[in-house]
Amino acid sequence: MDSADLKTEAAPARPNQAYRAARPDFGMLAGAAIACCAMIVGVISTGIDPRYFLHPTGVVIVLGGTLGVTLVTTPLSALLNSLRRCWALLVSRPVSREDLIDQLVQYVRITRRDGLLALERIAPECSSTFLRNALLLAMDVRDRAELQAALELELRLKERQGEADAKAFEVAGGFAPTIGIIGTVVGLIEVLRQFSNLQAVGFGIGTAFVSTIYGLALANLVLLPVAHRIRARVAESFEIHELMSEAVLYMVDGVHPALVRLKLQSFLREPVRHDGQERDGRVPLASGANG
């Protein structure tokens, strides 16, 4: 092997090879648009004037009551973290697991040949903060058990923070329909004050139940879907970080790159056939995997 080939082999994979450019989460945006359009079309198809559903009192009761209860159940700092997490859902940064595995195997090959000190020049080029910190930590903590414990602790904390952010929206989604019913009861009380006017009673009852619609829509179209979306995003991030952790531990152990690739391929999602049975998702080892 000449010096040019050796230089090519020693160069790590490009940092943007596994992580794609950030882009709007079109799936989430499309789902929200479809749900809103379905509600609007459903209302219009009944022949009811959409302005009939504009009830300021119900809006104030449902939004204000839900926000107040959420502040009671969730500390302000945690609620702000949840809102930031919700805002981050609008943008996604897809990760190619195949490219990430190729990148990590290349790092394993370099450290196997040059030692763990080679991580000092590899780490700054990593696009993932978690992976960069894990590589730098592997240089200082040579004991595998301590390194594994530190990485697992960070993974658990990230997962716990994501669950706390999702829980805030889930709690709010649980209270919103009930607060909507409170708004309906308030509207019915106002109707009973004008019971002598049957026309006003009929209109008032319909208006009163708008608060229930507000509560149900807020919970089932906004709050609960956001909570589930946060959990899905956290689960995806957890798997990616777990993959990185395993690769870093293999670097410390000096495992052969071909074996590392075989083990990391278990993180690839296997396609499912139409009959419901999974295909053999194993990928043949590349010819250059032997380090």
Side-chain angles (χ1 to χ4, degrees):
M1 179 181 296
D2 56 18
S3 59
D5 294 337
L6 184 58
K7 183 177 180 181
T8 302
E9 182 183 359
R14 292 181 60 84
N16 59 352
Q17 184 176 357
Y19 281 82
R20 306 299 189 228
R23 63 187 183 188
D25 193 335
F26 294 106
M28 179 178 176
L29 296 176
I34 291 173
C36 292
C37 290
M39 291 288 294
I40 295 174
V41 171
V43 169
I44 295 176
S45 64
T46 61
I48 302 175
D49 188 350
R51 291 177 298 180
Y52 185 80
F53 291 90
L54 299 179
H55 195 263
T57 303
V59 173
V60 172
I61 292 176
V62 173
L63 293 182
T66 302
L67 178 60
V69 172
T70 304
L71 288 173
V72 172
T73 58
T74 306
L76 181 60
S77 59
L79 183 58
L80 293 177
N81 289 333
S82 299
L83 293 176
R84 283 192 288 266
R85 175 92 62 170
C86 178
W87 180 257
L89 292 178
L90 299 177
V91 178
S92 65
R93 193 180 182 191
V95 181
S96 172
R97 299 195 182 193
E98 294 83 357
D99 291 340
L100 180 58
I101 290 175
D102 291 340
Q103 180 179 346
L104 293 173
V105 170
Q106 185 75 352
Y107 292 167
V108 172
R109 184 178 297 112
I110 294 173
T111 55
R112 181 178 171 86
R113 184 185 61 242
D114 301 337
L116 291 177
L117 292 179
L119 296 175
E120 187 174 3
R121 71 173 186 271
I122 293 175
E125 300 182 8
C126 295
S127 56
S128 169
T129 303
F130 178 85
L131 179 58
R132 181 167 58 252
N133 294 338
L135 293 176
L136 294 176
L137 187 62
M139 292 178 52
D140 300 329
V141 183
R142 299 301 180 90
D143 183 78
R144 187 188 194 280
E146 292 183 1
L147 178 60
Q148 183 176 6
L151 294 177
E152 289 180 350
L153 176 61
E154 186 171 358
L155 286 176
R156 288 198 302 270
L157 289 177
K158 287 181 177 294
E159 186 179 24
R160 190 177 302 170
Q161 291 170 358
E163 175 62 25
D165 293 338
K167 192 67 176 179
F169 286 98
E170 189 175 54
V171 169
F175 282 109
T178 304
I179 295 175
I181 295 176
I182 295 176
T184 298
V185 173
V186 172
L188 292 177
I189 293 175
E190 176 64 21
V191 169
L192 293 178
R193 293 178 62 249
Q194 305 176 10
F195 198 75
S196 59
N197 188 346
L198 296 180
Q199 184 177 1
V201 168
F203 180 81
I205 290 177
T207 304
F209 279 97
V210 171
S211 297
T212 301
I213 296 178
Y214 286 160
L216 292 173
L218 179 62
N220 294 283
L221 297 181
V222 179
L223 298 175
L224 295 180
V226 167
H228 288 291
R229 188 71 173 192
I230 290 176
R231 287 194 175 97
R233 187 73 66 87
V234 170
E236 174 71 15
S237 178
F238 182 85
E239 289 187 10
I240 296 298
H241 290 162
E242 191 176 23
L243 188 157
M244 295 175 179
S245 299
E246 291 295 325
V248 172
L249 293 176
Y250 294 147
M251 294 178 197
V252 175
D253 293 339
V255 181
H256 194 279
L259 184 57
V260 172
R261 180 182 295 275
L262 183 62
K263 291 182 176 181
L264 294 184
Q265 282 174 351
S266 61
F267 287 90
L268 297 178
R269 295 181 177 177
E270 300 179 348
V272 180
R273 298 185 309 195
H274 293 294
D275 58 4
Q277 296 180 353
E278 293 183 350
R279 296 179 181 174
D280 185 0
R282 293 176 296 179
V283 181
L285 295 178
S287 57
N290 296 328

